Amino acid sequence: MAPYNIRWGIMATGWIAETFVKDLLRDPNVRGASDVSHTVVAVASSSSKSRAEKFISETGVPGSCAAYGNYEELVADPNVDVVYVATPHSHHFQNVMLALEAGKPVLCEKAFTVNAAQTKILCETAKKKNLFLMEAVWTRYFPLSIQVRDLIKNGAIGEVLRVIADNSFGEDVETKWGTEHRMVNKDLAGGCLLDLGIYSLTWVFQTLYHTLPREQRKPPSAISAHMALYHLTGADEATTVLLTFPTTTPSNLPNPGQSQAVAMTNLRVATDPAEDNSARPAIRIQGTKGEIQVDGPAFRPERYRIIPKKGHGDIKEVECPFPEGAKGMFYEADEVARCLRDGKLESDTLPWEESIVIMEVMDEVRRQGELTYPEKIESTVYPTVL
Ligand SMILES: NC(=O)c1ccc[n+]([C@@H]2O[C@H](COP(=O)([O-])OP(=O)(O)OC[C@H]3O[C@@H](n4cnc5c(N)ncnc54)[C@H](OP(=O)(O)O)[C@@H]3O)[C@@H](O)[C@H]2O)c1
């Protein structure tokens, strides 16, 4: 049977849009996906049509591909099956609403929105309009993440009671990002929590929360957070979050009846300063019978090890390399294709409800850290001109 093909419209022409399109254009068979395929049929830039044309030629999109100088034309294009939103997170709410209102399914980059209220409206709108919507947390769809979740569900390290996750970049913030770059610019929802901390929280949630049957999943019962704000813009440059879940996984035992997590992110110190895994691991998933350690970076790990408790077997190292030259963004794209093929509105691997709970955690972390963004980008009013 011919693979199920979906036709993508790309909204924005920045760094991640380019990475995504290059991955989409790779042969799906190389990653063992023979059931789905992808075509890029339209690209839109908010600045000019020529910018979109340049993007199309530089990424090497084959065949006919429309170039637009605004996002409105993209979402109105009848050839587009699904829109990939790759703008800064400040703009996600407005951009996703634009696509949904035009009747298009959406894959939207992380962080989904600036706050949980915006995410809720997007999900309600998608539901009302019977449209597929998914937050593009690519890490969840990697074979490595699936293996780790399965190990936990199968009890490989016993009952998991604690997770420590870090996603930190050791940069000279003033030199690297100044004041205008979206990483530190509050007008673009800058700061490490929404951009990098989301991956630390992803590991916390995909291990301690997602591995339970859906009806047993419970949001954290306690959250404590510390934030340090960047002196030049006020965006967060260091954030540490402590969480308690009123559950344990995979058996959800009445005693101790809870699990704990630490999620960290920092712009000035690195998870792995030498970038050679000499400071491994980035993630520790600790159970009563041993632990799983995942080497960083947390957003794109390629190796993990299972360390059984003393006297219960040997350490097992597992490599999960990506296909040569690929980033690995096609795994989430394949999920979108399968969901559209199967008539699903949301992905089981990152359901709307879980995206909302994570956004609520980040709202609370920002409240405790006293990080607010300009009213316009926190707004739930659509349309709002940004
Ligand atoms: N999954 C991942 O691994 C990953 C990695 C990096 C980033 N991201 C996410 O992807 C999103 C974009 O990040 P990026 O690194 O690609 O950013 P970027 O390089 O700055 O690109 C953002 C693009 O958005 C468009 N845009 C529209 N309005 C804008 C405005 N007011 N200011 C700046 N750009 C505007 C621009 O393209 P046009 O105007 O041409 O449309 C711009 O090129 C963020 O939400 C980020 O968190 C995800």
Side-chain angles (χ1 to χ4, degrees), residues 84-160:
Y84 171 61
V85 172
T87 54
H89 14 287
S90 49
H91 288 52
H92 289 177
F93 176 68
Q94 297 295 331
N95 296 156
V96 175
M97 282 299 282
L98 179 76
L100 293 175
E101 289 293 337
K104 297 294 189 202
V106 175
L107 172 68
C108 175
E109 262 310 329
K110 44 53 67 175
F112 214 165
T113 53
V114 177
N115 55 48
Q118 291 178 339
T119 292
K120 282 182 194 164
I121 294 174
L122 294 185
C123 298
E124 282 160 15
T125 307
K127 188 170 183 194
K128 202 168 63 198
K129 293 186 169 286
N130 204 29
L131 291 168
F132 175 81
L133 173 65
M134 179 176 129
E135 182 183 8
V137 184
W138 61 324
T139 313
R140 290 213 175 212
Y141 301 90
F142 297 161
L144 181 147
S145 289
I146 296 167
Q147 284 177 30
V148 169
R149 294 196 301 263
D150 284 346
L151 282 165
I152 294 170
K153 285 191 256 185
N154 295 334
I157 54 167
E159 200 64 9
V160 182

Side-chain angles (χ1 to χ4, degrees), residues 11-17 44-47 51 71 86-89 91-92 109-111 136 138 182 188 195 199 329:
M11 185 186 284
T13 61
W15 182 76
I16 203 63
S45 168
S46 64
S47 59
R51 172 77 201 115
Y71 298 159
T87 54
H89 14 287
H91 288 52
H92 289 177
E109 262 310 329
K110 44 53 67 175
W138 61 324
R182 69 163 191 83
L188 299 176
D195 201 83
Y199 288 109
M329 300 195 79

